[in-house]
Amino acid sequence: MLIPQPYLLFLGDVTDPLSAKTAKGIQQWRPELCVGQHRLTSETVSLGLNDLTLEQAKAQGAKTLVLGTANAGGFIPENWLSTLSQALDLGFNLASGMHQRLVDYPELSAKAEANQCQLFDVRHYDEPLKVGNGLPREGKRLLTVGTDCSVGKMYTSLALEKEMNRQGLNTEFCATGQTGILISGRGISIDAVVADFISGATEAISPSFSDHEWDVIEGQGSLFNPSYAGVSLGLLHGAQADALVLCHEVGREHIRHLPHMAVPAIEATLVANLQAAKLTNPNAKFVGISLNTSALTEAEAQALCRQWEQQYQLPVTDPVRFGIASIVDKLHSL
Amino acid sequence: MLIPQPYLLFLGDVTDPLSAKTAKGIQQWRPELCVGQHRLTSETVSLGLNDLTLEQAKAQGAKTLVLGTANAGGFIPENWLSTLSQALDLGFNLASGMHQRLVDYPELSAKAEANQCQLFDVRHYDEPLKVGNGLPREGKRLLTVGTDCSVGKMYTSLALEKEMNRQGLNTEFCATGQTGILISGRGISIDAVVADFISGATEAISPSFSDHEWDVIEGQGSLFNPSYAGVSLGLLHGAQADALVLCHEVGREHIRHLPHMAVPAIEATLVANLQAAKLTNPNAKFVGISLNTSALTEAEAQALCRQWEQQYQLPVTDPVRFGIASIVDKLHSL
């Protein structure tokens, strides 16, 4: 899956800023890929990008119209279809992170074929995969892991990529979820592959390489989340990470959506991930802890980072508040 | 997935006895479900069952024609199709454990619809599933786990079911792989579900129950197999096992298909599985070790079982050679 860039970000008629999270992520991490935004009404959420017609965006080089919003139920509203059709007639590819597939709309499929455009349903993956083999591959890899899902693994991965490149470590981000795929233009939604192929898909996402120094692989879920731990373990084995970064949201009261399940302790999470990672890379090690400290004051957050640095003997930071350089500093010696 | 029984076992024209392993498994574990066998030639492998025409089997009550052989590539030979078509016309359902799907043959799909018969592709699973939630459910559960795949987890599970029922523990076998599904007539091929739903599918395979005492859930893969460990972990979390039985093949030199990966030590396998199992059932415990000792003489096998019983403080047996009563004896107190 390789989505042609640059993008025109389609915001439809959504008015809830939270619904435009994906589009915002693309704008935040890949501003150079965003030619502009396309909104159906003046009340639609704005990212502050240039409002462009499809024709204007096309003239400025946009290759793909990205559906960068989340809807309840993950479906594509009826009143968006004429715009999507029109975009295909103008030669745009379409990319969507929604549950409902673009390819399941006969009108869109037909237009795409007629205009030789591609439809990217990044939440799904139907291509043939191989099962993982655990064989060592060339290149260095960092994987983010977590105490739970939605604790900042994608944010941390993208922040690491940016800071690593700033510090001269030639690094590429490897996406494993729909937002990450739209941001980077490639990847596989690892939780959407058939269970037998989790580690194999991860090996495909970050194959042997020698043209750069590091791959930063976006983690998913948690070994301690009883809904998704299988995905996390397959990802851990397939990543063969040299470096692991633990992500955690301070103050989370229980595993997401499961009030009866406690968030695991930091120490237990470090131990379990390291033990499992060593199956395919005996040299795997943790290089830092990345926190979401939004529940704390800045002073409290600072104090906690210092305390945990002592306790776990690792750099501890909140990348939003304090950047992530302290972790990247550790990577030069790996 | 609930396959109507009894069965007529279809052996096609295979001449290699190993290819008829699935049919043999059905005959071995569910002889009462096998009305007879149907062979296309006199050179075809025989299970020693009555050779019946489709009409004879139908008259004797057979409801489903089971494709009980494995082919290279997992496809259905062209010259079988007329028999399968004819069976549908006679009102048989068809069940297949092959990779290639019955439903992908337009001729078979049409006939099935016309005759209101069902096509069961047990290696695949397309029905909607829920993600696992880890909530405790009623009933007691035993799960077989392994040092690798193909070490005897299905055999051990079926032997446990049989012996538990013999000892008065009302027990049902819960299948997670194609052969097990054909044997029991129900279940989900756990490695074929979308990765997000591994533990959820396991919760669906063995839901809350109070009409019997135990479910014995067939394990898959190994936490130490880098190709499939994600499946094994999701299965472990979803099973919420009260009792675990470790399966191992004595003398296996490396992880199946992966010469560079060592088979894990028994102790490490016990520790890792127990630790992961406790996430969804803090009372999980190992109750025995089931060995495939075919590489040893019977005297050597006996000696090894006694030695490991001392070492691991658990009943250790080879169910083929010595039965599995010593493990079942431990279950009465759970």
Side-chain angles (χ1 to χ4, degrees):
Chain A
M1 203 178 274
L2 196 64
I3 307 173
Q5 298 167 331
Y7 298 151
L8 175 64
L9 301 181
F10 181 61
L11 297 163
D13 51 2
V14 304
T15 52
D16 172 11
L18 270 181
S19 299
K21 237 176 80 176
T22 297
K24 274 200 179 130
I26 301 171
Q27 181 196 13
Q28 172 177 11
W29 295 107
R30 298 289 188 268
E32 72 280 10
L33 297 182
C34 303
V35 166
Q37 65 187 15
H38 184 68
R39 304 185 298 157
L40 293 180
T41 71
S42 56
E43 290 81 41
T44 301
V45 167
S46 171
L47 303 175
L49 293 167
N50 288 336
D51 279 306
L52 300 179
T53 63
L54 296 174
E55 290 80 0
Q56 288 170 330
K58 194 70 196 152
Q60 292 182 34
K63 296 212 172 78
T64 301
L65 184 70
V66 174
L67 282 70
T69 61
N71 291 44
F75 70 95
I76 296 158
E78 280 292 312
N79 64 323
W80 293 11
L81 289 176
S82 63
T83 304
L84 302 182
S85 260
Q86 205 188 327
L88 289 166
D89 279 337
L90 288 167
F92 279 95
N93 305 290
L94 302 183
S96 161
M98 297 201 183
H99 266 295
Q100 203 180 9
R101 300 181 191 222
L102 296 167
V103 297
D104 286 342
Y105 288 86
E107 183 189 347
L108 299 180
S109 282
K111 287 258 182 202
E113 205 184 327
N115 296 298
Q116 295 191 295
C117 301
Q118 290 178 275
L119 302 178
F120 297 95
D121 288 299
V122 303
R123 199 183 275 266
H124 302 276
Y125 194 82
D126 305 318
E127 303 298 310
L129 286 165
K130 292 183 180 165
V131 298
N133 59 37
L135 284 168
R137 12 200 232 287
E138 224 180 325
K140 284 182 276 192
R141 286 171 188 81
L142 184 151
L143 173 71
T144 50
V145 299
T147 49
D148 195 3
C149 29
S150 309
V151 292
K153 286 182 286 281
M154 186 189 78
Y155 187 99
T156 297
S157 300
L158 287 159
L160 281 165
E161 180 203 32
K162 192 173 181 180
E163 178 64 18
M164 287 162 80
N165 280 315
R166 204 192 60 81
Q167 291 198 19
L169 298 169
N170 192 346
T171 300
E172 292 186 6
F173 168 76
C174 298
T176 61
Q178 64 268 12
T179 303
I181 295 170
L182 291 173
I183 289 173
S184 68
R186 63 187 176 102
I188 297 174
S189 267
I190 198 79
D191 56 10
V193 305
V194 166
D196 249 1
F197 299 99
I198 306 169
S199 62
T202 309
E203 293 179 3
I205 288 169
S206 174
S208 242
F209 63 87
S210 56
D211 61 339
H212 57 287
E213 272 181 272
W214 283 88
D215 270 356
V216 172
I217 303 171
E218 177 193 8
Q220 294 291 339
S222 158
L223 293 182
F224 296 87
N225 183 312
S227 310
Y228 308 119
V231 172
S232 307
L233 183 60
L235 190 42
L236 194 52
H237 285 162
Q240 298 178 14
D242 304 285
L244 295 161
V245 171
L246 176 65
C247 302
H248 174 68
E249 181 187 324
V250 177
R252 178 168 297 201
E253 287 178 2
H254 56 74
I255 291 287
R256 196 160 186 242
H257 302 314
L258 302 176
H260 60 292
M261 297 294 307
V263 175
I266 297 291
E267 182 66 29
T269 312
L270 293 169
V271 168
N273 277 281
L274 195 59
Q275 191 181 315
K278 283 178 184 289
L279 183 73
T280 53
N281 186 343
N283 298 318
K285 57 183 288 193
F286 271 95
V287 295
I289 299 175
S290 173
L291 300 177
N292 173 345
T293 63
S294 53
L296 305 179
T297 65
E298 182 145 336
E300 288 169 342
Q302 273 287 10
L304 185 72
C305 289
R306 294 301 80 74
Q307 186 197 324
W308 283 12
E309 286 190 338
Q310 289 303 310
Q311 193 169 342
Y312 303 112
Q313 294 293 303
L314 290 168
V316 181
T317 185
D318 179 333
V320 174
R321 280 179 156 158
F322 313 124
I324 202 145
S326 61
I327 294 177
V328 175
D329 293 342
K330 298 266 285 188
L331 296 175
H332 294 274
S333 58
L334 281 191
Chain B
M1 201 177 273
L2 196 64
I3 307 174
Q5 299 167 331
Y7 299 151
L8 174 65
L9 301 181
F10 181 61
L11 296 163
D13 50 3
V14 304
T15 51
D16 171 12
L18 269 181
S19 299
K21 235 175 83 175
T22 297
K24 273 199 180 131
I26 301 171
Q27 182 196 14
Q28 172 176 14
W29 295 107
R30 297 290 188 266
E32 72 280 10
L33 297 182
C34 303
V35 166
Q37 65 187 14
H38 185 68
R39 303 185 299 157
L40 293 179
T41 69
S42 57
E43 291 80 42
T44 301
V45 167
S46 171
L47 303 175
L49 293 167
N50 288 336
D51 280 305
L52 301 179
T53 63
L54 296 174
E55 289 81 359
Q56 288 171 329
K58 194 69 193 155
Q60 292 182 34
K63 296 210 171 78
T64 301
L65 184 71
V66 174
L67 283 71
T69 61
N71 291 44
F75 70 95
I76 296 158
E78 281 292 313
N79 64 324
W80 294 10
L81 290 175
S82 63
T83 305
L84 302 182
S85 260
Q86 204 188 328
L88 290 166
D89 279 337
L90 287 168
F92 279 94
N93 306 289
L94 302 183
S96 160
M98 298 200 182
H99 265 296
Q100 201 182 10
R101 300 181 192 222
L102 296 167
V103 297
D104 286 342
Y105 288 85
E107 182 190 347
L108 300 180
S109 283
K111 288 260 182 199
E113 207 184 325
N115 295 298
Q116 295 190 296
C117 302
Q118 290 177 276
L119 302 178
F120 298 94
D121 287 300
V122 303
R123 200 183 275 267
H124 302 277
Y125 195 81
D126 305 318
E127 301 299 309
L129 286 166
K130 293 183 181 163
V131 298
N133 59 37
L135 284 169
R137 13 199 232 289
E138 225 179 325
K140 286 182 275 192
R141 287 172 186 79
L142 183 151
L143 172 71
T144 50
V145 300
T147 48
D148 194 3
C149 28
S150 308
V151 292
K153 287 182 286 282
M154 186 189 79
Y155 187 97
T156 297
S157 301
L158 286 159
L160 281 165
E161 182 204 30
K162 192 172 181 181
E163 177 65 18
M164 287 163 80
N165 280 317
R166 205 191 60 81
Q167 292 197 16
L169 297 169
N170 193 346
T171 301
E172 292 186 5
F173 168 75
C174 297
T176 61
Q178 63 268 13
T179 303
I181 296 170
L182 291 173
I183 289 173
S184 69
R186 63 189 176 99
I188 298 173
S189 266
I190 199 79
D191 56 8
V193 305
V194 165
D196 248 1
F197 298 99
I198 306 169
S199 62
T202 310
E203 294 179 4
I205 288 169
S206 173
S208 243
F209 63 87
S210 57
D211 62 338
H212 58 287
E213 274 181 88
W214 283 88
D215 270 357
V216 171
I217 304 171
E218 176 193 9
Q220 295 289 341
S222 159
L223 292 181
F224 296 87
N225 183 313
S227 309
Y228 307 119
V231 172
S232 307
L233 184 61
L235 189 43
L236 193 53
H237 286 163
Q240 298 178 15
D242 304 284
L244 295 162
V245 171
L246 176 65
C247 302
H248 174 68
E249 181 188 323
V250 177
R252 180 169 297 202
E253 285 178 5
H254 56 75
I255 291 285
R256 196 157 186 245
H257 302 313
L258 302 175
H260 61 292
M261 299 292 308
V263 175
I266 297 291
E267 182 66 29
T269 312
L270 293 169
V271 168
N273 277 282
L274 195 58
Q275 190 180 315
K278 282 177 183 289
L279 183 74
T280 54
N281 187 343
N283 298 318
K285 58 182 286 192
F286 271 96
V287 295
I289 299 176
S290 172
L291 300 177
N292 173 345
T293 63
S294 53
L296 306 180
T297 66
E298 183 147 336
E300 288 169 339
Q302 272 287 10
L304 185 72
C305 289
R306 294 302 80 76
Q307 186 196 325
W308 283 11
E309 286 190 339
Q310 289 302 311
Q311 193 169 342
Y312 302 112
Q313 293 293 304
L314 289 169
V316 181
T317 185
D318 178 333
V320 174
R321 278 178 157 159
F322 313 124
I324 202 144
S326 61
I327 294 177
V328 175
D329 293 343
K330 298 266 286 187
L331 295 174
H332 294 274
S333 57
L334 282 192

